[in-house]
Amino acid sequence: MQHLAGKTAIVTGGASGIGLGISKALLLAGMNVAIGDVQVEAIEAVGEALSGETQRLMLGRLDVSDREGFCRFADTVEERFGHIHLLANNAGVVVSGPIDQASASDWDWVIDVNLRGPINGLLTVLPRILAHGEGGHILNTASTSGLLPHAGAGIYVTTKAGLIGMSESLRSELEPQGVTVSVLCPGPVRSDISN
């Protein structure tokens, strides 16, 4: 996508950290931005901080692990702004510590948010982008941890490596259809992910 002004983006985990940075950048580029986040307090804080952007900003609670909820969120975005052109799968969580001490619920939670969340976003938004035929972009936030595995974050590394692989596969498949794909692999960032 070369021209962003007037088009619409969904940013998951968009109320803090990297997601908030992405959201602000997209607003500056002239996009309509729908921020979905599971943290209600963060959504309220963003609403106050970006109160001057009410015409082009939509805020809502979104649990990316809930596929039906993701569909309802996307429906609301389309009702408000029309076609969706960009999906920023940014929501993410981490559980740190020795992998032999991780519980099944640790694995389930991180996989549900970091891997199934982007899959739910893709299953929900990609058909809508392909249907309107105006082109689009999928941005997946992974991590350098997905490229350079390290001890103490095995579950996180697993999900981010999977997201990188998915993104690389999608890029070659979708580009001929006018949908570009990129994967963001940040290193350590000052954010609330560890909390």
Side-chain angles (χ1 to χ4, degrees):
M1 278 178 45
Q2 298 294 321
H3 307 288
L4 302 180
K7 294 183 177 174
T8 298
I10 290 176
V11 182
T12 69
S16 64
I18 293 170
L20 181 56
I22 292 170
S23 298
K24 287 178 177 178
L26 296 176
L27 284 167
L28 284 172
M31 292 193 83
N32 302 312
V33 177
I35 294 176
D37 204 297
V38 74
Q39 300 178 63
V40 175
E41 301 82 15
I43 294 169
E44 291 170 353
V46 169
E48 292 174 18
L50 300 177
S51 60
E53 298 287 349
T54 54
Q55 295 299 313
R56 293 187 298 114
L57 179 65
M58 185 186 116
L59 303 166
R61 187 178 186 287
L62 174 63
D63 176 352
V64 296
S65 68
D66 175 3
R67 188 171 295 156
E68 291 179 4
F70 213 130
C71 289
R72 288 190 299 273
F73 186 82
D75 289 343
T76 304
V77 172
E78 287 181 323
E79 288 168 13
R80 170 96 183 264
F81 296 125
H83 295 153
I84 300 165
H85 302 89
L86 189 152
L87 170 63
N89 281 315
N90 175 77
V93 295
V94 65
V95 171
S96 298
I99 205 159
D100 63 331
Q101 295 178 16
S103 67
S105 62
D106 290 336
W107 279 97
D108 290 344
W109 181 54
V110 178
I111 290 171
D112 282 349
V113 175
N114 292 2
L115 200 50
R116 284 196 187 100
I119 292 168
N120 288 341
L122 190 70
L123 290 171
T124 300
V125 177
L126 179 60
R128 298 167 195 243
I129 292 174
L130 294 173
H132 65 59
E134 298 169 6
H137 188 84
I138 307 293
L139 167 64
N140 294 319
T141 301
S143 170
T144 53
S145 295
L147 298 167
L148 302 167
H150 53 89
I155 304 172
Y156 183 77
V157 166
T158 300
T159 59
K160 294 305 184 175
L163 191 54
I164 291 167
M166 182 179 84
S167 301
E168 291 177 344
S169 297
L170 286 173
R171 182 182 174 106
S172 59
E173 289 183 25
L174 296 177
E175 202 162 31
Q177 300 180 67
V179 179
T180 52
V181 178
S182 58
V183 60
L184 177 63
C185 294
V189 175
R190 192 178 310 142
S191 73
D192 285 337
I193 193 168
S194 295
N195 296 327

